[in-house]
Amino acid sequence: MSIDRAAVTHIARLARLRITESDKEKLAGELSDIMNWIEQLQEVETATTQPMSSVIEMALKMRPDIVDDGGKADDVLANASETADGHYVTNKVIE
Amino acid sequence: MADYELTDLTIAAARTGLRNRDFSSVELVQAHIDAGEAARDLNAYITPTPERAQTMAAAADAALASDEAGMLTGIPIAVKDLFCTQGVATTAASHILEGFIPPYESSVTANLWRQGGVMLGKANLDEFAMGSANVTSYYGTVTNPWQATSGPLKGKDLVPGGSSGGSASAVASRIAMGAVGTDTGGSIRQPASFCGVVGMKPTYGRCSRWGTIAFASSLDQAGPLTRSVEDAAIMLGAMAGHDPKDSTSVDIDVPDYQAGLRASVKGLKVGIPKEYRVDDMPPEIDALWQAGAEWLRQAGAEIVEISLPLTKYALPCYYIVAPAEASSNLARYDGIRYGLRVDGKDLVDTYEGTRAAGFGDEVQRRIMIGTYVLSSGYYDAYYLKAQKVRTRIAEDFRAVFTECDVLLTPTAPSSAFAIGEKMDDPIAMYLNDIFTVPASMAGLPALSLPAGLDAQGLPLGLQLIGQAFDEARLLSVAQSLETAAAFDKRPIRSGAA
């Protein structure tokens, strides 16, 4: 599986990573090498195998549907780069 | 006692010394702070916390005086900087978490402090725990306290392994008595092997992941790095346990691991998986592996050759599953809520600029792989296929554990290499984890312990893999192996002794 510059551009956009034009070529080569190496998985017979959903067999625990924590808006916002009136501040998203 | 004698103690010995009032926790902790200062060039810590350590040590001395000691009261411990620590900068060794100060404490570290442990500082690691040499940290490379005594590596600075490289380097160099690390595909065991210490990854679900910065959530597990198997048993007992805040932490009793160390290996069946005998394995590692089997046989265990046919597929399978989960987990670093922010002309530009500036090359590579294998049109061929292969890997292990009780393998295919090597070849770097990843994919507990030196004078580890939640037996077999190996070598950088 070869990953070309166009694919790198597409994946980078999906991942919200800005990659410089000069890095795209290098990354296309590295990702192609890695994916070619991973390709050997296709040799494994899995026609009747279920995909793993939990590595340890366990029943997820239930808990009462009650609020037991909260009221910590200041803590939540403490690490934000910009806040106003108890909110995060982002770039304008609605024109 | 002289400082170098204090820093040389095991946790078990230091607990006795503290309880007998041979020395105070304040003295013990200060000896480690001073040793850490003298070894700053190893770069084992990103953020040392000497003032907090001394406050905690004073509280430990008060608890000891009133006979209220916990399992780790007064013991100085390094914490991999992947665990959130309330009020102390937590970086994951990434630029993108610059300035982040958690308003909460991770469950594993909270358990350690509840048992009286003392935090010496936040240990260096590969960025977001992605790496096998501790060379991807934004805060610089960590140096292994061991040096080659002969051969081409002589005189060169060596990697400590990774990703828990700072934790392993700190324990080996006697600037921490023990450390907590995390292991996703070998990140505790491989650096333990490179640095000549004991490193243990418990069963997935044994320790809470709450408050640990996520890399690959179906694989990540916290565990101890120590200088003896007994110390690993003590630390694991303090760290482990059910946590309502992590739905994958398992609600079963935590045994007294230290008491369980007395169990005999007589009659146990130790499996030797033939697929781990890879073509280009150095003869010294093969010889040590055979010696390990012989030691256990002499202790009364039966050695059986077993087969894990899917072994060679575990690593490529891991390099789909782990990056896929990482790409999802690391989507949260958006520049808005915490950490670095690089403002752009619009919101997407802010996201892309922040993430480009904040993540290093290896992290970006893995986000790209993960995004690709999860993307429309490729999900079934890669991600779904990998999850099916992972089921078969786990089935392989389940099958062999009907024939034996524990597995013995080498931990890593080499000893420590020079800083700078394998930097331009991601796959060569990934192959460091060829022996550690399979147990991770199956969620099983595994432990590396130092078993000998190679011809260059560098430590080599042997790995034991156990059945799910059978850490007690794993530790008792490890102690038998430790006794037989009688590994008493120490790195050149380990204090005055």
Side-chain angles (χ1 to χ4, degrees), chain A residues 61-80:
Chain A
K61 283 177 85 83
M62 305 296 277
R63 67 169 180 85
D65 186 15
I66 50 164
V67 177
D68 60 2
D69 200 359
K72 293 176 178 167
D74 290 346
D75 282 352
V76 170
L77 293 172
N79 280 286

Side-chain angles (χ1 to χ4, degrees), chain B residues 148-362:
Chain B
T149 51
S150 66
L153 290 179
K154 192 177 176 186
K156 291 187 179 168
D157 278 343
L158 307 179
V159 301
S163 68
S164 307
S167 300
S169 180
V171 173
S173 62
R174 274 70 174 168
I175 61 176
M177 200 155 252
V180 278
T182 62
D183 191 311
T184 304
S187 278
I188 288 174
R189 291 161 284 160
Q190 185 257 14
S193 181
F194 278 21
C195 290
V197 299
V198 175
M200 182 178 194
K201 181 197 93 74
T203 313
Y204 182 80
R206 184 55 97 177
C207 293
S208 170
R209 292 181 297 107
W210 194 82
T212 312
I213 294 173
F215 161 15
S217 305
S218 77
L219 294 153
D220 297 343
Q221 191 57 206
L225 293 107
T226 56
R227 290 194 297 268
S228 75
V229 172
E230 184 180 27
D231 285 3
I234 293 168
M235 274 193 71
L236 180 62
M239 295 164 62
H242 175 62
D243 177 9
K245 294 203 283 275
D246 173 8
S247 64
T248 62
S249 89
V250 175
D251 193 3
I252 55 173
D253 283 344
V254 178
D256 183 341
Y257 295 119
Q258 197 185 8
L261 292 174
R262 288 191 290 270
S264 163
V265 301
K266 205 155 278 171
L268 281 190
K269 287 187 176 172
V270 177
I272 307 292
K274 63 179 184 192
E275 288 80 6
Y276 281 59
R277 204 164 284 128
V278 295
D279 288 342
D280 47 358
M281 172 132 62
E284 289 170 297
I285 292 179
D286 198 32
L288 187 71
W289 187 15
Q290 289 177 33
E294 181 56 25
W295 291 329
L296 289 174
R297 198 185 61 76
Q298 283 172 10
E302 184 187 341
I303 307 300
V304 289
E305 177 155 299
I306 54 97
S307 175
L308 290 163
L310 285 154
T311 297
K312 72 175 254 202
Y313 299 106
L315 197 61
C317 187
Y318 175 87
Y319 273 96
I320 291 181
V321 173
E325 295 183 15
S327 73
S328 171
N329 275 324
L330 272 59
R332 74 191 64 179
Y333 302 101
D334 57 8
I336 306 299
R337 290 170 293 173
Y338 30 72
L340 183 74
R341 176 168 180 164
V342 178
D343 260 311
K345 61 180 167 26
D346 56 32
L347 189 58
V348 170
D349 202 39
T350 297
Y351 291 155
E352 292 186 346
T354 299
R355 291 164 63 81
F359 292 133
D361 287 348
E362 181 59 24

Side-chain angles (χ1 to χ4, degrees), chain A residues 1-3 8 11-19 26-27 30-31 33-35 37-46 49-52 55-58 60-61 75-77 79-82 88-93, chain B residues 99-101 203-204 242 247-248 250-251 310 312-313 315-316 319-320 335-338 341 344 346-350 352-353 355-356 365 367-369 371-372 381-382 385 387-388 390-392 394 398 427 441-443 469:
Chain A
M1 183 69 211
S2 178
I3 296 176
V8 168
I11 303 163
R13 183 67 184 193
L14 291 175
R16 297 289 184 265
L17 287 171
R18 184 189 299 139
I19 294 174
K26 182 165 173 277
L27 207 48
E30 285 172 352
L31 296 183
D33 287 349
I34 293 167
M35 293 314 296
W37 170 69
I38 286 173
E39 203 66 34
Q40 58 180 300
L41 284 187
Q42 304 306 328
E43 298 162 18
V44 182
E45 174 54 53
T46 55
T49 309
Q50 290 297 311
M52 182 177 280
V55 66
I56 296 297
E57 282 167 35
M58 61 168 100
L60 284 179
K61 283 177 85 83
D75 282 352
V76 170
L77 293 172
N79 280 286
S81 52
E82 193 180 349
Y88 295 113
V89 175
T90 73
N91 302 72
K92 189 174 173 186
V93 290
Chain B
F100 174 62
I101 297 180
T203 313
Y204 182 80
H242 175 62
S247 64
T248 62
V250 175
D251 193 3
L310 285 154
K312 72 175 254 202
Y313 299 106
L315 197 61
Y319 273 96
I320 291 181
I336 306 299
R337 290 170 293 173
Y338 30 72
R341 176 168 180 164
D346 56 32
L347 189 58
V348 170
D349 202 39
T350 297
E352 292 186 346
R355 291 164 63 81
R365 220 165 7 235
I367 291 173
M368 291 287 285
I369 295 169
T371 304
Y372 177 64
Y382 290 116
K385 179 75 183 180
Q387 290 290 37
K388 289 178 179 175
R390 191 174 176 191
T391 296
R392 287 206 50 198
R398 256 198 299 279
I427 295 172
M441 295 306 278
F469 301 110

